[in-house]
Amino acid sequence: GGLEEAKQVLTEAVEWPLSYGPLFEETNTDPPSGILLYGPPGTGKTLLARALAGESDVNFVSVAGPELIDKYVGESEKAVREVFDRARQAAPAIVFFDEIDAIVGTRGETSEATERVVSQLLAELDGLSDNPNVIVLAATNRREAIDPALLRPGRLESHVEVPLPDVGARREIIAIHATGKPIADTVDLETLAGETEGLSGAQLEALVRDASMRAIRELATEIGPEEATERAEEVRIDPEHFETARETLEE
């Protein structure tokens, strides 16, 4: 739900070169080789990356940043090389580094192992110009912690903010997670969206789930598990369930 600007940037960077290759060739234009998604936790950065891979029908190589830091000398750099080797063999492909700030802190302020990983990653990114069918996506909650050399043109050059959802986006997100649920007619999703300012997409998902659990608990407690199972079609998620769930989430 929401994130229209981020979706558009990702579509142009990843899907368009695959769909409109002749236009890029005619204009002698290279698409960005790397994109950084940044924003608060729970706003949907990882979900966006996975959705993009599904939409564009390309191979998706996902790596959690902390996985690459190895205590043995040389193993971390080898892991980085292997990630890009896999992507080149599977091209067209997206390489996705989640929590990239865990492995690419500013050199001079981090461990020797991290500095070696940064250097290897820079070398791999610089080599992507020879393979336009491989694009790198990275996600972080802490853009300021990333070595500036990685953020230069030709590397992770496009920076896409994934902010907390505004009221319209919150309405979309809540509606997505409410689909198929027995929401009472008295629940006004528009009002609920207005009351949830400051919540992330992940928190809104948790809100709907918690409200559902409260509705289940209420019916099961009121008439007992056996009868509740037989009368499951009677369960309704009421405004009170959402209100209590919201208050709990904001504590």
Side-chain angles (χ1 to χ4, degrees):
L3 303 177
E4 298 309 321
E5 183 178 349
K7 291 174 185 174
Q8 183 63 27
V9 172
L10 291 174
T11 297
E12 293 177 5
V14 179
E15 291 188 16
W16 284 15
L18 297 173
S19 302
Y20 308 118
L23 290 177
F24 282 82
E25 293 175 11
E26 188 65 29
T27 57
N28 195 26
T29 300
D30 294 324
S33 57
I35 299 170
L36 178 71
L37 304 173
Y38 70 95
T43 50
K45 298 181 291 296
T46 302
L47 183 62
L48 266 178
R50 294 187 179 279
L52 178 66
E55 287 278 329
S56 53
D57 196 28
V58 300
N59 291 299
F60 189 70
V61 181
S62 180
V63 183
E67 292 177 1
L68 292 179
I69 300 299
D70 195 285
K71 62 182 177 180
Y72 300 110
V73 175
E75 288 300 313
S76 297
E77 305 94 285
K78 179 182 177 183
V80 172
R81 289 195 299 272
E82 288 176 347
V83 166
F84 281 90
D85 285 344
R86 281 209 318 272
R88 282 188 283 265
Q89 292 167 9
I94 294 171
V95 180
F96 177 59
F97 290 97
D98 204 0
E99 299 179 75
I100 194 170
D101 51 276
I103 60 169
V104 293
T106 302
R107 287 170 292 180
E109 301 177 6
T110 55
S111 68
E112 183 181 343
T114 300
E115 293 192 10
R116 292 196 305 268
V117 169
V118 173
S119 297
Q120 184 65 48
L121 192 52
L122 289 172
E124 295 291 349
L125 287 170
D126 289 341
L128 286 185
S129 57
D130 299 329
N131 194 337
N133 286 324
V134 176
I135 190 165
V136 175
L137 286 183
T140 182
N141 305 328
R142 302 168 58 235
R143 182 173 60 158
E144 71 284 352
I146 296 175
D147 192 301
L150 277 163
L151 305 179
R152 293 174 185 162
R155 294 166 180 171
L156 297 177
E157 61 183 75
S158 293
H159 304 164
V160 180
E161 184 178 10
V162 185
L164 289 171
D166 60 18
V167 65
R170 293 197 300 274
R171 171 67 175 77
E172 287 185 41
I173 293 168
I174 293 169
I176 288 168
H177 292 296
T179 299
K181 296 183 182 297
I183 306 293
D185 294 338
T186 50
V187 173
D188 185 346
L189 297 188
E190 206 70 55
T191 300
L192 187 58
E195 295 173 340
T196 50
E197 183 176 359
L199 297 188
S200 68
Q203 289 174 311
L204 293 171
E205 179 183 5
L207 172 74
V208 178
R209 181 170 56 248
D210 189 16
S212 300
M213 289 300 299
R214 290 176 187 279
I216 292 169
R217 188 182 306 129
E218 183 178 281
L219 186 63
T221 302
E222 181 182 333
I223 62 177
E226 186 174 337
E227 191 172 350
T229 301
E230 295 174 356
R231 295 165 55 185
E233 72 280 356
E234 296 180 21
V235 68
R236 289 292 179 273
I237 306 173
D238 296 321
E240 294 76 17
H241 298 135
F242 279 106
E243 179 62 24
T244 308
R246 183 176 65 81
E247 291 173 355
T248 302
L249 194 62
E250 293 177 349
E251 287 179 354

